[in-house]
Amino acid sequence: MATRVIIVRHGQSSYNTLKMIQGRCDESVLTEKGSADAHKVGATLASLRFDAVYCSPLQRAKQTAEVILPYLQNPPDLLAIDNLMEIDLPLWEKLTKSEVKEKFPDEYQCWKERPHEFSMGYPKEGSREHFPVLALYEQAQQFWQDILPRHQGGTILVVAHNGINRCLISSALKIPPARYHSIQQSNCGINVLNFAGRWGELVQLESLNQTSHLGDALPTPREGHQGLRLLLVRHGETEWNRVSRFQGGIDVPLNDNGRSQAQQAAEFLKDVPIDFAISSPMLRPKETAEIILQSHPTVELELQETLKEINHGLWEGKLESEIKQEYADLLRQWQVAPETVQMPEGENLQQVWERAIASWNAIIKSAALSSTELNTGLVVAHDAINKVILCHVLGLQAESFWCIKQGNGAVTVIDYPHGLEKAPILQAMNITTHLSGGVLDKTAAGAL
């Protein structure tokens, strides 16, 4: 059984409102809004049963956890542990971001552009060099190694901070520390991780930075960020998804539930400005996109062949149980090392990666040239296509394919505030709250 971990960032704090660096300074406390949002998190998680609840010992996180706890069914004791403390930035604590930029311009640039190389000295420890992001990454790994063996097959809740949450997610998925700033964590945002076994085995990011329980369908761009926002959506359910029949290049239409999912996605996104839209030409994503665009009637839909689903070759049209009978070893290989598999008379992941990323980069280049303000595009595609795009966004390779969840009708938000020149920001991933009403993805888990 998988071990489910739900990770929450603390509510808005007094230092957040002042735009001050908090780090491990423990003077910052929840604001009235921070407390109200923590109550919303508690209500959102009330239907789930947790085997353990861990939090950072710093006030802002501990207060958030204490608000959430009474909402839970038979809540366990709250355990505050040091390995969930925020990133240690001793020279910057209690300074505003503008003050840091002014006093430490070179260091701040390194922090933003090369966080894995960023270092600072300890003010009371002479010349000892401290690498905050690398140290936090190691701290996150230690948390997982200590905690996971205690809760195999259970569900745990973690309430902590922006930086440590990023490193918990990154270290679990092996996202490199260089991508530290590529993961967004909103105050009281919710993330879901699934560990297939012990530390070092497969980990799936089910969702990232859910905020709809706070009244925000999608996270707002970071302050000062304009440029490009892409809404990456997987098509709604097909009958073949439902029964786990491999479809790949076969042009299967949406079923009734899939059309309903597309309508729910349309309602979810109706107030989100959309400037352009692109889809795979296959029936299931094309219809999904057309339904979403009914509330954006002036936007024309462009179709791109390179966004078609992976070609499964001789597997297409077969149930997973049928493939297991004829291709047992290859199916097992696909499930554990997908990057090594050549589909019989079909594609391999490298071929899918090359065409999908070429198409994705072309979209970004074209959109970035068209506007200097926030420019939002809708891209509707498939499970495998979306997964390789997200691996690319997070600095992962094809072997991490199964680490990414993409539910039917799910919405993912990726910002490119600086075009292709700098790493993108994954603002939210695999949002399905508009489909299930809860934080867990309950869409079909069938074949691609």
Side-chain angles (χ1 to χ4, degrees):
M1 290 179 62
T3 303
R4 175 177 287 137
V5 183
I6 294 181
I7 302 174
V8 176
R9 184 186 174 193
H10 64 77
Q12 183 194 72
S13 70
S14 52
Y15 276 26
N16 287 149
T17 61
L18 297 170
K19 298 183 173 61
M20 290 174 67
I21 306 295
Q22 304 178 99
R24 297 193 172 178
C25 171
D26 203 16
E27 296 177 4
S28 185
V29 295
L30 289 188
T31 62
E32 185 176 334
K33 172 177 168 51
S35 178
D37 285 346
H39 280 280
K40 293 176 183 177
V41 173
T44 300
L45 300 179
S47 63
L48 304 178
R49 182 188 175 280
F50 291 93
D51 299 285
V53 180
Y54 294 94
C55 74
S56 160
L58 298 175
Q59 288 188 81
R60 56 196 187 272
K62 194 165 184 287
Q63 289 172 339
T64 302
E66 288 170 344
V67 170
I68 294 170
L69 209 62
Y71 286 89
L72 307 182
Q73 304 173 30
N74 300 315
D77 292 336
L78 178 62
L79 301 172
I81 58 175
D82 288 347
N83 274 340
L84 290 176
M85 290 181 73
E86 182 56 306
I87 191 167
D88 193 9
L89 299 168
L91 297 180
W92 290 4
E93 285 178 5
K94 300 201 280 188
L95 297 176
T96 64
K97 292 180 183 178
S98 58
E99 288 173 333
V100 170
K101 289 181 188 178
E102 182 180 343
K103 293 182 179 181
F104 305 93
D106 294 340
E107 293 88 344
Y108 186 79
Q109 184 177 5
C110 182
W111 157 255
K112 296 300 289 185
E113 297 180 1
R114 305 183 308 281
H116 57 301
E117 297 177 4
F118 170 67
S119 67
M120 64 167 57
Y122 269 100
K124 297 181 181 179
E125 298 186 24
S127 60
R128 183 166 81 85
E129 197 170 19
H130 166 54
F131 291 83
V133 172
L134 297 183
L136 194 65
Y137 201 92
E138 290 180 10
Q139 177 184 310
Q141 290 177 313
Q142 191 60 54
F143 172 82
W144 292 129
Q145 291 172 50
D146 291 346
I147 298 304
L148 285 174
R150 305 180 195 175
H151 305 290
Q152 289 294 296
T155 300
I156 67 175
L157 174 64
V158 171
V159 182
H161 308 268
N162 187 5
I164 183 61
N165 285 7
R166 292 182 191 180
C167 286
L168 288 171
I169 294 165
S170 295
S171 63
L173 272 68
K174 298 183 175 60
I175 299 168
R179 294 298 181 112
Y180 176 79
H181 294 295
S182 289
I183 295 176
Q184 176 73 310
Q185 288 292 280
S186 302
N187 289 117
C188 281
I190 296 174
N191 313 271
V192 182
L193 278 175
N194 299 312
F195 289 80
R198 296 185 178 274
W199 175 251
E201 297 182 43
L202 179 69
V203 185
Q204 179 198 64
L205 180 60
E206 180 175 314
S207 64
L208 177 90
N209 204 33
Q210 299 184 37
T211 57
S212 60
H213 56 288
L214 306 174
D216 301 320
L218 304 176
T220 56
R222 294 181 188 173
E223 185 181 0
H225 284 189
Q226 294 298 321
L228 176 65
R229 165 165 285 193
L230 292 175
L231 309 176
L232 181 64
V233 177
R234 185 187 175 197
H235 64 76
E237 183 185 274
T238 70
E239 196 60 21
W240 286 21
N241 287 143
R242 191 184 67 80
V243 300
S244 293
R245 189 181 296 277
F246 279 66
Q247 45 196 359
I250 295 179
D251 214 0
V252 182
L254 299 179
N255 62 14
D256 287 343
N257 187 47
R259 281 184 282 275
S260 175
Q261 289 171 333
Q263 292 284 2
Q264 289 168 304
E267 178 68 19
F268 185 62
L269 297 174
K270 69 176 183 179
D271 296 324
V272 176
I274 295 178
D275 300 296
F276 64 95
I278 297 168
S279 171
S280 157
M282 302 187 78
L283 290 172
R284 49 198 189 268
K286 181 173 178 286
E287 186 177 2
T288 301
E290 288 170 344
I291 291 171
I292 292 172
L293 291 177
Q294 287 174 358
S295 55
H296 298 80
T298 62
V299 180
E300 292 187 9
L301 181 63
E302 177 188 341
L303 304 179
Q304 288 198 7
E305 289 285 325
T306 46
L307 292 177
K308 282 185 173 181
E309 182 58 300
I310 184 174
N311 183 342
H312 285 297
L314 298 179
W315 288 11
E316 292 185 352
K318 298 180 185 293
L319 294 170
E320 187 168 329
S321 57
E322 295 172 329
I323 295 170
K324 189 173 183 178
Q325 288 181 342
E326 193 172 351
Y327 300 94
D329 291 343
L330 195 60
L331 179 61
R332 177 61 181 161
Q333 188 179 344
W334 171 245
Q335 292 166 340
V336 299
E339 77 283 2
T340 67
V341 171
Q342 173 64 55
M343 293 290 172
E345 297 186 22
E347 288 184 292
N348 58 50
L349 268 187
Q350 185 60 36
Q351 292 171 309
V352 177
W353 184 288
E354 289 173 1
R355 62 179 172 84
I357 302 310
S359 181
W360 184 253
N361 288 342
I363 292 168
I364 296 161
K365 287 180 181 177
S366 175
L369 291 173
S370 65
S371 175
T372 56
E373 299 184 357
L374 186 64
N375 191 21
T376 303
L378 172 72
V379 179
V380 184
H382 306 264
D383 192 10
I385 295 293
N386 290 11
K387 283 176 174 173
V388 299
I389 288 171
L390 284 162
C391 284
H392 168 72
V393 163
L394 291 171
L396 298 171
Q397 301 302 315
E399 59 262 26
S400 298
F401 182 78
W402 295 119
C403 293
I404 304 296
K405 181 81 189 288
Q406 286 290 279
N408 293 115
V411 177
T412 292
V413 185
I414 305 164
D415 285 356
Y416 284 83
H418 307 290
L420 275 173
E421 300 305 312
K422 295 181 181 177
I425 299 167
L426 184 57
Q427 288 273 0
M429 195 204 85
N430 200 45
I431 304 305
T432 59
T433 50
H434 53 289
L435 307 175
S436 66
V439 300
L440 303 181
D441 181 350
K442 297 180 181 178
T443 61
L448 303 183

